[in-house]
Amino acid sequence: MATSEARRSSRRRALLGRLAIPLLAIFTALIVASLAMVLSGTDPIKAYLALAEGAFGSQVARVETLIKATPFLLAGLAIALAFRGGLFNIGVEGQLFVGSAVTVFIGYSVELPAAIHIPLALLGGMIGGAVWAGIPGYLKARNGAHEVITTIMFNFIALRIISWAIGVGGPLRAPRTVVPETPAVFESARLPILIPDSRLHAGVIIAVIAAFVVYWLLWRTVTGFELRTVGANPNAARYAGINVEFNIVRTMALSGALAGLSGGIQVLGLAPYTFTTGFNVGLGFDSIAVAVLGSIHPFGVALAALLFGAMDAGARLMQLRTKVPIDVVTIVQGLILAFVAADQIIRRLYRIRTETEEGPVSLSQSWGGGS
Amino acid sequence: MSEPVLRLVGISKRFPGVLANDNVDFELAPGEIHALLGENGAGKTTLMNVVYGLYKQDEGQIFIDGRQVEIHDPNDALARGIGMVHQHFMLVPVMTVTENMMLGHETTRGLRLGLLSDLDPDRVAEEIKALGDKHGLSIDPEAYVRDLSVGEEQRVEIVKALYRGAEVLILDEPTAVLTPQEAEDLFSIMRSLIAEGKSIIFITHKLKEVLVIADRITVLRDGRVVGTTEPSKTTEAELAAMMVGREVILQVEKGPAAPGEAVLEVQDLQVRDLREQMAIRGVSFTVRAGEIFGIAGVQGNGQAELVEALTGLTPVEGGHIFMNGQETTHLRPRAITETGIAHVPEDRHKHGLVLVYPLDENLVLQTYYLPPFAKRTFLQPKEVRENAIRLIQEFDVRTPSVRTHAGSLSGGNQQKVIVARELSRDIRLLIANQPTRGLDVGSIEFIHRRIVEKRDEGVGVLLVSSELDEILGLSDRIAVMYAGEILAVMPAEEATKERLGLLMAGVREAPDSIAAD
C-alpha cells in the first residue's frame, strides 16, 4: 500500500530526527562555547583541534579516551535503565561510592586467584550499589517517597559514611598514610591490562558487554518488558498484572548495580588501586547528561560516553596549547545537556518539526506520578 | 425576558481527536439557576472552562451583559463578574480561610509599598463574615482549610467567588461530593443567592436535583446542545433519554442465551472510591456462563469502581467475589486474570494500552510471561510478532505494521487491539466496561458481534455501559446501577428504554418509591 510506504518512510524520518537532536545539540554547544573563547581572545578552532588531538591523536590519547569513557558508559547505563523504568535515579553518585568501597574492601582484605577475586570484588560492588539504590526504591514503592529526593539524600549519607570509614581511625583507612585512602587492592584483584605498557584495562570490555546486556535485558526478557511497561504506563502495567511496587525496587536495584560496577571498575582498573574521598566526584551527575544525550538507549549511551570521555581526555592538551582552561569542557558538556533536555530550543533553531507521536521516554514522567 | 447576563454563541472547542464542544449556544438570564445537564464527557466542564478563561474556544463568541468579550484567563473572568467553583477545590490546605481569600487578591493597609505593603487580614475576615452571614454560609475566617469538611470547603469556594465580586456563579458538579443534607443546604444557599440577583450555572448529571433547583435546563450530549427545557415541562425519563440516547437502537443479531453455571458471583460488595467515599454500597449479582449480563446506569454511579474491584485494581472494602467457583475478593490482578478473566477496560489510554509500545507488544500485555511468548525469562520476538499478525488480521485492525505504536492508531482500531488481546485468550468470563465508547458505527457492530460470539461459546459476559442502546441490544439480563446500588435486575424482554431511564435516574420501582427515595 502506498500509505503504508509513506508511514514507513515517516518513521525513518522520525528515527533520523532522534539522532539529529543530539548531534545538533553537540554542534550548538560547541558554537556557543567558541563564542566565549573568542571573547576571551582565543582561537576556538585551534582549541577544538587541540581537544580532538588530545582525545584521538595518538595511542596514548585514544587509550585515555577509552579509560575516561568506561565509567561514563556504566554510570550512564545505570541512569538510562532507571529512566526506562520511569525512575530518575539521581543517586548514581552515592551508589557508585558504596560500590567502590565494597569492591576495594574485597580487593584488599582477602587474597584469591584472580579468576575468582576480580568477579567477586566486582559482584560485591554491584550488590553494594544495588542495596544503596534499592532502599530509595523500596521507600517509593511502599510510601511513595519521591526517588529524586531520597536518592539525593542517600548520596550525602554515602559520602559521609565513606569519609568516616577512610578517615583517621576509620575501618577502611590504610595504615600509615597521610591522605584519607584505603589500602591498595591485591594484584590478584586488579583488572588485566589490554595493551602492554598502557593504562588500558579490561574494564572497557566489561562496560561494552554491559551495554549489550542492558539492551538485551530491556528488550529481550520478561524482566525488561515489565520494567519498560511500568515506566511507560504504570496503570496499564497494573492492569496487566505486573507488580508495580516490586518492579520499582527491582529497577532501582539493577540501576544501582550498574552504578556500583562503574565505581568498582575504577578501583580495580586504575593505579593506585585505592579509594579516596576525591574519587570520581561528580561522575554520577555527569552521567545523567550522558544518558540523556544517548537518548536513554544503551547504544546511544555508549556513543555519548565516548564523546564525554574524549572531551575529558583531550581537555589537558587544549589547555596546554591554547591556554583555554579545562573548565571549558565542563561548560560544553553542560550546554549539551541543556540543549538536549530543552530540545525545543534546538527544534526551533534548526526548524525541526515536533514529532506528534510520543517519544520513547519522557524525562519528567516520574514527577508527581508514583504509586 | 431581560437581557441575558451571559450568552454563548456557537462555541466550539477541539482537543486532539475529540470535538468537546460543537457549536454550543447557551444563555443565562439574571437571577436564574440554569442547569447544564449531561453525562461525563458530554462537554459541560469544557464549556464552562471556556467561559472561565481556562480554555480558549476555537470558534464562537461570548457576550456578557450584551457586550462581546474575550476572556483570556480566570482573572479576566473574575474581573467580569464570573466566578467558578470547581469539582475539585482549589484551596491551599495549610492556609486559613482568610489567607485563601487573599491569594491573588491581597488587601493591604497603610502605605502603598507594592510587594512590601502591610496585609490587612482583619478587614478581609470581617468582609467574609458579613458575606457569609448574608447568605447563610457560616464559615470561620480563622479556620485552617485542612480542618474543614468537604461541605465547608465548598462554602469557602463560593464565598471566595462572591468576595471577588462574582455576579455569575458556575458550580461544577457541586453535589457530587456532598451528603444529601449538605446538598439541601447548598440548595438553600443557591436560592438565597438568586434572590440577591446573582445568576448560577449548575453543572450536574443528577436529574432529580435539576428538577428541584433549576429554572431552566440545557442538555448536552457529545459536545452538542440536545435541547433546553424547564422543570415543569419535562420529566426525569425524558431528560434521561435526552442525555443518554441516540434514537436508533443498534440491532445485534443474536439467538436466545443458554445460561450455564455461575462464573461470577458478587455478594454484598462494598468499595470506596479515590475520595474514600462509598462508591459501591452492598451490591450482589450473578453472571452465568453463556449469558450477557448488562449493567446500565448513568456514568459515575459506581460502575467504574465495580469493575476495578472485580479485576483487582481497587481494594474491596467488604463482601465477596467468586469467579469460576474460586474466591477472588482480595487477589492481585494477575491471579484474577489467571482464573480465566478478560477485561476490556473503560479507559483504553489509561489502562488498556501502552501507547508508546508497538502493537505486537500491546497484544501480549497479559501474556508476555507465558509460553510461547516467553521461554523461561526470555521473550520470543518471533512468536510475539506472529501472534500480532494473526490477531490483526482476525480482528481487522487497520495498521501499517505490527510495529506501529498503538498511540498512532484511531480510537476504533485501538479498541479492536484490546478486544483482540482479551478475547484471544482462553477465558470463561469477559468483563467489558464501555467497550464501544467513542467508536464509529462499524467498529461498534464488529465489537458487539465478537461479544455475542463469545457468549455463544459459553463465556459469561459482564457488560457495563451507559449507552442504553448497547445494553438493550446485547444483554440477556439487565441490572441498573444508581448511586452505588443495583436498583433492579430484569430479563432483557421486560426492559424498555423508559423503564431503564427512570431507574437510571434513581426512581425506585416499588410502590410509593418516589416519595421514599
Side-chain angles (χ1 to χ4, degrees), chain B residues 132-152:
Chain B
D133 291 344
K134 196 157 119 196
H135 298 290
L137 288 147
S138 54
I139 44 172
D140 173 10
E142 307 300 323
Y144 283 92
V145 166
R146 61 166 178 241
D147 299 328
L148 300 181
S149 73
V150 177
E152 287 170 325

Side-chain angles (χ1 to χ4, degrees), chain B residues 11-12 24 61-62 90 93 104 108 119 141 288 351 363 418 425 428-429 458 494:
Chain B
I11 299 284
S12 291
V24 172
Q61 293 101 41
I62 302 172
M90 314 259 173
T108 57
L119 290 173
R288 299 186 178 284
H351 286 118
L363 282 163
I418 295 172
R425 290 186 286 125
R428 304 190 55 207
L429 172 64
E494 293 174 18

Side-chain angles (χ1 to χ4, degrees), chain A residues 26 28 51 54 62 69 83 88 90 94 112 125 130 133 144 155 174 195 211 240-241 247 263 301 316 331 336:
Chain A
I26 294 165
T28 313
L51 185 72
R62 288 190 288 273
F83 267 143
F88 196 176
I90 298 200
L112 295 162
N155 284 341
I195 301 175
N247 261 277
V301 172
R316 209 165 291 276
I331 294 175
I336 291 175

